[in-house]
Amino acid sequence: RPSRGPCMLFKAVAKLTPEDLRFHEWLLLLMLEGMANKTTPYAAQGLTSIWGTLAALRWKPDDEALEVLCEESRLLRLDHTFNQDMAAELARSLLTLNVDDGRPAYQVVDYVARKGLALRADTLLTLTEFFAVRSVSHDLAWKRLGVRAQQRAVDLRLPDIDRLINAFKRSGKGNQRIYGMLDLFMKLREDQARYGAA
């Protein structure tokens, strides 16, 4: 794909020379121009990479640039390559940049509603915190997060289980079964810390 090169370059240069803002601006402008003019199609990996790089740089583009990026992100859910890592990166980026736009946010919510029962523990935590912070009210997606928390939260470290509990409490979407399982996982981790793994 022609869009892959600039996305990879954007991410690499951001890591190597984060202070080179003029080059970052030029490269972002080039990519946004391709999006706005519909001359360069951007796949899920490229788009989430752009969002992630902007978040890593803590650089929130101007409103016009954000409009183009949000509009291009509107159909991410239709890209079959859009996976849980991309959904989590997009969620983290939207929070870091304080971008509150329904178009990219809906891609995250839709992903959880469709594939939430297959989330790993790390992405489960990221996505549940995103849902709580953004006050997402999608019942099916929350149900999937609740079921998956009871299955996979055991894989999290003690402080992360605590963060997961807090996200469910903050959202008001937890229930006794979820909290019971998460408390059990907390006790298990505490025992492992005290006595070592069995």
Side-chain angles (χ1 to χ4, degrees):
R1 283 198 173 235
S3 64
R4 194 162 177 226
C7 295
M8 289 175 59
L9 182 62
F10 190 51
K11 190 173 189 173
V13 171
K15 281 185 180 172
L16 295 172
T17 56
E19 70 284 350
D20 192 356
L21 292 180
R22 287 184 65 181
F23 185 72
H24 299 303
E25 288 171 354
W26 174 82
L27 194 50
L28 181 63
L29 185 64
L30 179 77
M31 292 185 292
L32 292 173
E33 196 173 287
M35 289 176 201
N37 297 331
K38 303 289 184 211
T39 55
T40 311
Y42 282 81
Q45 185 177 10
L47 276 172
T48 52
S49 174
I50 292 169
W51 281 109
T53 301
L54 290 170
L57 292 169
R58 300 208 175 277
W59 173 28
K60 184 175 180 178
D62 63 41
D63 290 345
E64 191 178 324
L66 271 178
E67 173 59 29
V68 171
L69 196 53
C70 288
E71 184 59 24
E72 189 72 16
S73 301
R74 192 171 55 86
L75 300 175
L76 273 173
R77 69 188 182 283
L78 302 178
D79 187 328
H80 72 281
T81 64
F82 188 61
N83 62 34
Q84 65 182 301
D85 293 309
M86 293 178 198
E89 182 171 18
L90 180 56
R92 257 190 312 273
S93 301
L94 293 173
L95 290 177
T96 300
L97 298 171
N98 197 26
V99 173
D100 195 4
D101 187 291
R103 291 167 292 183
Y106 182 72
Q107 311 314 303
V108 175
V109 174
D110 179 74
Y111 183 84
V112 172
R114 286 183 299 109
K115 308 233 175 141
L117 294 178
L119 295 173
R120 293 186 319 269
D122 59 325
T123 52
L124 168 72
L125 175 61
T126 299
L127 295 169
T128 305
E129 287 182 325
F130 174 79
F131 272 53
V133 169
R134 289 296 165 91
S135 302
V136 172
S137 60
H138 195 292
D139 288 337
L140 177 61
W142 271 112
K143 189 173 188 176
R144 301 243 190 274
L145 290 172
V147 168
R148 199 58 177 163
Q150 294 171 68
Q151 297 168 340
R152 292 269 48 106
V154 69
D155 296 336
L156 294 170
R157 296 174 306 120
L158 189 59
D160 293 337
I161 296 171
D162 195 43
R163 285 173 50 200
L164 190 60
I165 291 170
N166 288 333
F168 275 104
K169 285 182 178 172
R170 177 180 184 171
S171 68
K173 298 292 185 180
N175 60 40
Q176 287 312 111
R177 190 166 50 220
I178 292 170
Y179 295 132
M181 287 301 289
L182 294 178
D183 284 342
L184 179 67
F185 298 154
M186 291 275 287
K187 286 179 178 59
L188 179 68
R189 287 286 178 245
E190 288 167 354
D191 286 351
Q192 286 177 339
R194 255 188 232 120
Y195 309 114

